[in-house]
Amino acid sequence: MSEQLNPFKVAQAQFDEAAEILGLDQAMRDLLRWPRREYQFTIPVKMDNGTSKVFHGYRVQYNDARGPNKGGIRWHPDETIDTVRALSAWMTWKCSVVDIPLGGGKGGITCDPKMLSDGEKERLARGWVRMVARELGKHRDVPAPDVYTTPQIMAWMLDEFETIVGRSHPAVITGKPLALGGSKGRTDATARGGIYTVREASKLLGLNPKGTFAIQGFGNAGQHAAVLHPAILGGGTLVAVSDTSGAIYNPAGIDAAEIIAFKKQTGKIKNFPGAKAITNDELLALNVDVLYPAALENVITEANAAKINANIVCELANGPTTPAADKIMYAKGIHVIPDFLANAGGVTVSYFEQVQNTYNYYWSLEEVCSRLDRKMTEAYHNVYRMHLDKKVHMRLAAYLVAVQRVAEAVKLRGWV
Ligand code: GLU
């Protein structure tokens, strides 16, 4: 039988395994393995050429027992209700594992943002908000950026929402530009938080934090990881990078600032001077100290997990590893820092952004980073302890910590 790659089925299978170990009763399992509420809608957009095009949009509110639904909006050609459901489940576990008072949600639009002009993007962003505005608000559901959505898109969405409700409401959306109530440190928070966990893992496992690293996926998280890994760990050589155009390798090191500038200029990393072209599979199999999957789901699967040679896999992407691959890497002794722990820095600073919006008082970058460091370090050690206590791989340990907290909130509310 071929491996299950539907992200929502994967998310449910991961949850089921944790629920079994935690001994959750049947009603609790039935509740927590499904979203509580979902919206699917059409968004008609006037295109630049005078025609109208209809896009499909989604918002899934997975669980709000611990606080308002929270999670980004992804714009991607392969977006479906099931990718959004999976991502909303992972958001629920993510907010719980770092112990912030938020639930989980996710949104999306099936589209290819690379084919849209700025004007079309703005109309699409405003159209998405018009369809879900009645559901949004700092006490209900708070969107944010995800793959292919930007602070500018958050700015248009904020403006549309505030126009509809007729008042200022900056905490309705996070990942905003600084000029509209964004938080310092939000743009690179996902990568920064992940690297804090790599630092902790390296200490506990006695690994060399200043060794080599490779990045699969070169969007927001990947680019910031290229710069912040050596900055936070005090060293480290970036030897390989990939994006949708291919992968490149240079054992002597790839300069982070240069590859970022090259990508900005040409739109891709392919043909970066001085580096050799390799395949994506070759990048994943490199013998590096840290591998950062930083793009999309189902990158490390049953088919290639045995070839992974990194000491640490720090998942900045959501859902990059399948359950079968988890088992293979665990048996190989690879230390996987699982997605909803490793990439929780983004939503943690989103939460800080909401706190600052609510106080209407803004923190310095140092304040944001030191609070983020405390949250990530504590969450990493909680999961690591669970992994030792229960003798389970790190993802399952993260599920045990996160699901237990959500289940407790559900119980206290008397839902089941
Ligand atoms: N999209 C990011 C994630 O998957 C951030 C979510 C947020 O800030 O609400 O964690």
Side-chain angles (χ1 to χ4, degrees):
M1 207 175 79
S2 66
E3 190 178 14
Q4 175 60 258
L5 295 179
N6 175 323
F8 184 50
K9 295 253 161 58
V10 167
Q12 285 187 316
Q14 292 166 337
F15 166 79
D16 290 343
E17 203 179 347
E20 187 64 33
I21 297 177
L22 290 171
L24 299 185
D25 62 46
Q26 194 56 46
M28 185 68 83
R29 293 184 198 202
D30 293 343
L31 188 83
L32 294 184
R33 71 196 302 282
W34 284 97
R36 298 260 10 236
R37 207 183 270 122
E38 3 184 276
Y39 299 88
Q40 294 191 58
F41 41 90
T42 48
I43 311 168
V45 173
K46 295 256 180 332
M47 305 302 278
D48 291 349
N49 66 6
T51 62
S52 286
K53 194 167 167 183
V54 176
F55 294 86
H56 288 264
Y58 317 88
R59 185 72 185 170
V60 174
Q61 297 173 337
Y62 197 86
N63 191 288
D64 61 356
R66 286 175 46 87
N69 302 284
K70 182 80 190 85
I73 308 161
R74 196 162 80 166
W75 289 12
H76 198 275
D78 299 332
E79 208 66 283
T80 67
I81 187 67
D82 273 350
T83 58
V84 183
R85 283 171 169 163
L87 291 159
S88 72
W90 291 326
M91 282 311 306
T92 307
W93 315 135
K94 191 179 304 190
C95 293
S96 175
V97 86
V98 283
D99 202 11
I100 55 179
L102 295 168
K106 202 82 181 195
I109 300 178
T110 313
C111 68
D112 185 354
K114 291 181 182 163
M115 306 303 286
L116 299 173
S117 70
D118 281 351
E120 290 165 345
K121 283 185 195 165
E122 176 175 349
R123 294 190 287 280
L124 185 57
R126 291 183 185 276
W128 187 90
V129 171
R130 284 198 294 275
M131 293 309 288
V132 287
R134 71 195 72 173
E135 280 304 318
L136 305 182
K138 72 174 175 186
H139 298 301
R140 302 180 93 165
D141 188 352
V142 183
D146 198 81
V147 171
Y148 291 138
T149 50
T150 58
Q152 174 63 71
I153 293 176
M154 301 304 110
W156 290 322
M157 290 184 159
L158 172 74
D159 184 67
E160 188 67 24
F161 182 82
E162 291 186 340
T163 304
I164 291 169
V165 299
R167 66 193 155 87
S168 165
H169 193 130
V172 70
I173 198 160
T174 60
K176 300 180 291 291
L178 286 181
L180 292 180
S183 174
K184 293 202 168 109
R186 175 62 186 85
T187 325
D188 64 16
T190 305
R192 184 183 293 278
I195 297 163
Y196 289 148
T197 66
V198 168
R199 180 196 64 205
E200 294 309 301
S202 303
K203 277 191 231 159
L204 288 178
L205 306 171
L207 298 172
N208 176 13
K210 298 183 187 170
T212 52
F213 67 106
I215 301 174
Q216 181 269 331
F218 212 52
N220 178 57
Q223 292 184 28
H224 285 297
V227 175
L228 290 176
H229 176 109
I232 293 172
L233 302 179
T237 307
L238 173 63
V239 293
V241 177
S242 74
D243 69 3
T244 47
S245 70
I248 56 166
Y249 174 59
N250 184 351
I254 295 169
D255 186 90
E258 282 175 18
I259 182 70
I260 291 168
F262 184 83
K263 167 119 185 171
K264 207 174 196 158
Q265 210 178 18
T266 65
K268 44 188 152 196
I269 54 134
K270 201 176 162 167
N271 301 328
F272 179 67
K276 177 177 136 192
I278 58 171
T279 65
N280 263 298
D281 270 350
E282 284 168 336
L283 177 140
L284 295 173
L286 287 173
N287 189 359
V288 286
D289 289 288
V290 185
L291 170 65
Y292 292 99
L296 295 171
E297 306 90 62
N298 298 329
V299 170
I300 305 178
T301 65
E302 195 169 35
N304 62 6
K307 296 188 201 127
I308 306 291
N309 264 315
N311 289 320
I312 295 176
V313 174
C314 176
E315 297 180 341
L316 298 178
N318 288 310
T321 303
T322 64
D326 265 327
K327 290 200 177 69
I328 296 168
M329 287 197 286
Y330 186 45
K332 274 191 85 174
I334 294 170
H335 188 72
V336 176
I337 309 177
D339 53 1
F340 70 76
L341 169 64
N343 69 32
V347 75
T348 301
V349 176
S350 276
Y351 163 61
F352 295 161
E353 183 174 329
Q354 282 195 281
V355 171
Q356 294 169 78
N357 293 151
T358 303
Y359 271 115
N360 206 11
Y361 178 79
Y362 290 82
W363 304 343
S364 66
L365 180 62
E366 294 69 37
E367 171 108 47
V368 171
C369 293
S370 77
R371 285 178 187 267
L372 174 63
D373 195 347
R374 283 207 294 279
K375 274 282 179 211
M376 295 303 298
T377 300
E378 193 186 327
Y380 175 82
H381 285 279
N382 278 335
V383 171
Y384 187 75
R385 266 195 303 276
M386 184 67 91
H387 145 83
L388 293 184
D389 285 355
K390 301 280 183 205
K391 300 189 173 49
V392 294
H393 58 68
M394 285 287 284
R395 187 180 324 277
L396 189 46
Y399 266 95
L400 296 176
V401 171
V403 171
Q404 201 163 32
R405 288 183 184 151
V406 177
E408 185 191 356
V410 167
K411 238 326 148 251
L412 287 167
R413 286 175 183 276
W415 286 354
V416 292

